[in-house]
Amino acid sequence: MTGKLRIESNEFSYSDEKFADIQLLRYRVEGFEFLSLRQKTLIYHLSEAALAGRDILYDQNGARNLALRRLLEALYMALKSDGVAGVEGAEVREREAFAEYMKRFWFSHGPHHHYACMKFLPGCSREWMEDALRRYGISYDRPLVDYIFDAAADACRCNQRDGEDLLLTSSNNYYADGITQREAEDFYARQRAALTTPPECPPQIGLNSRLERGDDGTLRENVCRIGGLYGAAIRRIVRHLEDALPYAESDSQRQVIRLLIDFYTTGSLLTFDEYSIAWLEDTESQVDFVNGFTETYGDPLGFKGSWESIVNFRDEEATRRTRILADNAQWFEDHSPIDARFRKSVCRGISAKVIQAAIIAGDLYPSTAIGINLPNSDWVRRDHGSKSVTIGNFTDAYNCASQGSGMLEEFVIDDVTRQMIRTYGPVGDNLHTDLHECLGHGSGQLLPGVSADALKAHASTIEEARADLFALYYMGSGKLVELGLLPDAEAYKSQYYTYLMNGALTQLVRISRGATIEEAHMRNRALIAHWVLEHATEREAEIVNIGNKTYLRVNDYAGLQRLFGRLLAEVQRIRSEGDYEAARNLVETYGVAIDDALHAEVLDRYRRLNLRPYKGFINPSYHAVRNAEGGITDVTVSYTEAFDEQCLRYSREYSTL
Ligand code: ZN
């Protein structure tokens, strides 16, 4: 695929602007124009429902974030409409630094880094900001400006450091100020003990609420629902879901939307499980969507779901690939190198598809995942399976943007390896994602009586490692060539090389000097790479130094496959038995610490490439063409909006809280 395409006379480029450590990309919604009017109308209403929830995530990320956003946007708009005529010198630099802060704030839904979770400060001076606010007659609270410039006030949004009180040291807004980790854990332990649902089917307690303290000092939940927490945003989401109902593609999809409306109306987590099951059972509809409190990465205790939405439709051709995997799910389960007790005897319900994302919102915007595997409820997954998607148009955009970035030239050890990665990289990356999402997360089982959250703060890292190891082990097994998913017996090597290089070296570019690895996916990659390198006693892979630069050298790819299998067996055991101590040991030994000299070297080599480690996506904008009666006669899509224009429009049109 080429980097530039012409569409509807708009010049389309995958790559858009860069600021701080971020590069914004655009994604094309391939095939939207070939959908029926009914499908386009459905997508239109669902995309409105997606944008209607936007304010929720701002508030979840921090109690002051919405007030901050309003203040910063007022100044940003005043400066923008004032123009740059006559502006020079230090004033230019202050304005540029402020604009960069604004964009980072939008990107992260608050003043904390979207990935590293640490607070970032504006590059402009406090004097300049206050002066500018006064100049444009924007009234403001001094404490709010104090807060912006105070690195110590809410230093970390989501602290995962072992041994500290994870709530008192995290600034997210899922728990009211002053509630300790112990209090929250006790609260949810009592709630779990009081459940009246069958013990094998527990709801995801705490998922859609904020834990607060009443006047009498006791803790209670403020539940997200119409009439409750975030009621105004949720009411608007529901209105758009009601608009979408008549355009549902099937009765089962109509039922999905109705149950979601019920869930938003009552806040009942039992309804949420019903909704999840109905959503799983609707495999026929081409258009699909997620809208709700979903992933728990933003809560150090793993209870609270951050709000997100994605609307998408199935890419029929690309889906063929993942269907082959799903059809062979039982074979993969039976041949997995894990203890037989941890294997699923019947592997079912894995519906695999490639989708085209049509819009992303909340915690999926602008930084997003390239694959999704839902629902997260363990018992629903066990009894009803899971839906896996690879987001084809995001993968394409990433691949196009990374061509010619210079990373391979700088970090890959030699020409032969580079050539191999150029040839097999894209097919290997796609297949790894498919294996991870379609089979990896869905494989294996917990032993009876093991609680799904036994691994506590390390659960996410271990789960991601399990899915990645499953993918890595099978990449090199020969089965994928037999199934026609890899072109030949050499192809998997490219994935092995790039995976280990990333885990041991290149992912360090996303972390600032002196910090440790915090995010679950990054911990998982570091864990796998460092464990494999340490256990490569036959020099299957090693870290070497050539001309004062550090490289990964792989001597025995088949040997690596055996090592991935060994670690998969151990990680599966940890998860199946709920062995918290072993999980902690593995994560703390291999997944957290960074060698400082190596980190400095990698950052230096990376800086010379002038690239940005984090990517995000600008949404397309949809326009409903209406007739005199207000009925929709067509929906058009355009790709021209700049990131700041998009964020300002969203604030203008979708502010609810
Ligand atoms: Zn995953």
Side-chain angles (χ1 to χ4, degrees):
M1 184 169 296
T2 56
K4 287 204 166 196
L5 298 163
R6 284 197 84 79
I7 332 161
E8 295 166 5
S9 81
N10 295 331
E11 185 78 3
F12 182 87
S13 168
Y14 282 104
S15 180
D16 207 80
E17 67 178 305
K18 296 176 180 177
F19 52 86
D21 54 359
I22 288 158
Q23 179 185 15
L24 285 169
L25 307 176
R26 287 177 189 277
Y27 63 98
R28 251 176 70 91
V29 190
E30 304 276 358
F32 182 80
E33 56 277 29
F34 301 120
L35 297 175
S36 68
L37 175 59
R38 184 191 178 106
Q39 289 173 316
K40 288 183 189 176
T41 308
L42 176 63
I43 288 174
Y44 176 76
H45 290 304
L46 293 174
S47 71
E48 290 290 298
L51 295 172
R54 175 177 186 252
D55 281 359
I56 296 173
L57 183 68
Y58 276 96
D59 194 72
Q60 289 182 317
N61 277 353
R64 294 178 180 80
N65 288 357
L66 284 166
L68 284 170
R69 192 186 77 198
R70 282 189 277 271
L71 177 70
L72 296 168
E73 285 180 352
L75 180 56
Y76 189 89
M77 285 188 293
L79 289 164
K80 203 169 158 123
S81 65
D82 212 16
V84 290
V87 178
E88 52 196 17
E91 175 70 12
V92 174
R93 286 191 295 278
E94 295 278 24
R95 286 188 180 203
E96 282 172 358
F98 171 71
E100 179 184 277
Y101 179 71
M102 179 82 253
K103 288 174 190 174
R104 295 184 75 187
F105 186 95
W106 279 322
F107 193 92
S108 303
H109 299 88
H112 296 89
H113 194 276
H114 72 287
Y115 214 72
C117 300
M118 302 307 288
K119 191 171 183 181
F120 53 83
L121 302 189
C124 61
S125 69
R126 180 187 172 131
E127 296 66 37
W128 175 86
M129 190 186 285
E130 288 203 80
D131 189 53
L133 287 166
R134 279 193 295 271
R135 206 172 345 132
Y136 293 106
I138 300 164
S139 63
Y140 64 96
D141 291 333
R142 273 195 79 90
L144 211 50
V145 179
D146 291 340
Y147 180 81
I148 291 173
F149 287 91
D150 184 354
D154 291 351
C156 182
R157 175 168 56 78
C158 178
N159 179 25
Q160 314 264 17
R161 265 189 302 272
D162 206 37
E164 298 179 10
D165 186 305
L166 300 184
L167 292 194
L168 295 181
T169 54
S170 295
S171 68
N172 65 54
N173 194 22
Y174 294 115
Y175 302 86
D177 280 350
I179 295 177
T180 65
Q181 177 175 354
R182 183 61 176 279
E183 283 182 294
E185 283 173 348
D186 288 351
F187 178 88
Y188 284 113
R190 283 196 302 277
Q191 206 180 78
R192 184 173 292 115
L195 284 173
T196 54
T197 46
E200 67 279 12
C201 305
Q204 289 179 268
I205 55 174
L207 185 72
N208 63 332
S209 64
R210 180 172 188 266
L211 193 59
E212 300 177 350
R213 197 186 300 279
D215 294 335
D216 58 355
T218 58
L219 298 187
R220 59 179 177 221
E221 290 192 304
N222 191 359
V223 176
C224 306
R225 59 181 171 82
I226 288 180
L229 186 62
Y230 307 137
I234 292 172
R235 197 175 318 113
R236 188 153 165 194
I237 293 171
V238 165
R239 215 180 66 218
H240 291 299
L241 291 175
E242 285 166 347
D243 289 343
L245 262 179
Y247 302 95
E249 292 186 87
S250 62
D251 285 342
S252 62
Q253 189 171 51
R254 232 182 311 281
Q255 180 65 1
V256 171
I257 298 174
R258 285 212 185 93
L259 283 167
L260 183 58
I261 291 172
D262 278 358
F263 168 62
Y264 275 140
T265 306
T266 62
S268 163
L269 289 167
L270 302 182
T271 308
F272 183 69
D273 284 345
E274 274 183 73
Y275 152 79
S276 297
I277 294 164
W279 179 74
L280 281 171
E281 284 168 356
D282 177 28
T283 53
E284 294 309 309
S285 306
Q286 192 182 355
V287 175
D288 200 0
F289 73 106
V290 171
N291 185 310
F293 304 94
T294 310
E295 300 293 350
T296 57
Y297 301 112
D299 171 9
L301 303 187
F303 290 109
K304 309 294 176 190
S306 60
W307 190 89
E308 68 178 37
S309 183
I310 179 170
V311 182
N312 61 78
F313 57 92
R314 189 167 53 232
D315 181 334
E316 304 289 8
E317 172 52 34
T319 297
R320 187 193 67 88
R321 195 176 67 219
T322 57
R323 194 157 286 153
I324 293 172
L325 288 180
D327 288 347
N328 289 278
Q330 192 65 52
W331 186 92
F332 284 98
E333 187 72 7
D334 294 345
H335 292 79
S336 178
I338 61 174
D339 192 307
R341 291 175 303 144
F342 310 144
R343 247 180 229 145
K344 273 194 185 130
S345 52
V346 182
C347 211
R348 64 175 154 180
I350 296 167
S351 104
K353 60 180 185 171
V354 177
I355 60 170
Q356 290 282 311
I359 202 151
I360 45 180
D363 219 1
L364 287 171
Y365 169 89
S367 172
T368 194
I370 51 170
I372 298 176
N373 180 298
L374 290 173
N376 284 330
S377 161
D378 272 289
W379 81 262
V380 176
R381 296 170 73 90
R382 183 193 66 216
D383 293 358
H384 301 272
S386 58
K387 234 190 233 184
S388 279
V389 299
T390 302
I391 309 171
N393 48 345
F394 290 171
T395 317
D396 288 346
Y398 280 128
N399 286 339
C400 289
S402 72
Q403 278 171 12
S405 69
M407 283 295 278
L408 295 185
E409 286 72 11
E410 179 58 42
F411 287 100
V412 173
I413 191 163
D414 54 36
D415 274 334
V416 177
T417 312
R418 257 191 298 277
Q419 198 45 50
M420 178 181 84
I421 294 168
R422 287 210 184 86
T423 307
Y424 296 116
V427 65
D429 285 348
N430 280 334
L431 198 53
H432 179 97
T433 307
D434 295 341
L435 284 162
H436 175 115
E437 299 291 348
C438 304
L439 301 179
H441 280 306
S443 74
Q445 63 179 358
L446 301 182
L447 290 185
V450 172
S451 160
D453 42 67
L455 302 182
K456 297 181 198 152
H458 302 300
S460 300
T461 302
I462 292 294
E463 178 56 18
E464 293 308 322
R466 203 173 67 84
D468 267 357
L469 286 162
F470 188 96
L472 289 164
Y473 176 76
Y474 278 116
M475 288 290 293
S477 73
K479 181 70 175 176
L480 300 172
V481 180
E482 184 192 316
L483 292 172
L485 295 169
L486 280 179
D488 56 53
E490 296 294 295
Y492 77 97
K493 296 178 180 175
S494 146
Q495 183 64 202
Y496 279 18
Y497 191 90
T498 52
Y499 189 93
L500 292 180
M501 175 180 76
N502 187 38
L505 300 173
T506 47
Q507 75 165 354
L508 295 179
V509 306
R510 302 165 75 165
I511 298 173
S512 39
R513 188 87 186 276
T516 55
I517 307 175
E518 297 291 331
E519 197 277 335
H521 295 80
M522 291 182 78
R523 282 187 168 184
N524 136 52
R525 292 179 207 121
L527 184 163
I528 292 174
H530 292 139
W531 187 94
V532 163
L533 285 163
E534 188 175 301
H535 291 78
T537 48
E538 308 293 318
R539 294 180 57 227
E540 291 91 341
E542 59 190 338
I543 294 292
V544 296
N545 201 286
I546 302 171
N548 281 327
K549 287 183 176 181
T550 306
Y551 296 94
L552 168 76
R553 177 187 282 148
V554 174
N555 302 308
D556 176 7
Y557 284 97
L560 284 183
Q561 199 235 358
R562 289 189 290 275
L563 287 167
F564 289 136
R566 253 174 72 194
L567 184 54
L568 173 58
E570 172 62 3
V571 164
Q572 182 65 54
R573 182 198 68 74
I574 290 171
R575 164 114 172 121
S576 291
E577 295 179 351
D579 186 344
Y580 174 78
E581 275 310 313
R584 192 175 81 114
N585 196 21
L586 203 55
V587 174
E588 298 284 335
T589 308
Y590 298 104
V592 178
I594 302 173
D595 177 301
D596 187 59
L598 177 64
H599 196 188
E601 177 205 318
V602 169
L603 287 176
D604 184 57
R605 289 162 70 185
Y606 183 74
R607 200 161 27 239
R608 289 163 203 271
L609 299 176
N610 196 26
L611 300 173
R612 313 299 157 113
Y614 298 100
K615 311 272 188 271
F617 287 105
I618 302 174
N619 274 321
S621 41
Y622 293 91
H623 173 68
V625 182
R626 293 177 189 270
N627 59 23
E629 291 75 46
I632 294 176
T633 58
D634 197 10
V635 178
T636 59
V637 53
S638 70
Y639 302 96
T640 51
E641 208 167 28
F643 181 58
D644 64 340
E645 291 168 359
Q646 180 153 90
C647 292
L648 288 170
R649 177 170 67 87
Y650 288 172
S651 291
R652 212 164 50 237
E653 297 178 2
Y654 302 97
S655 280
T656 51
L657 300 177

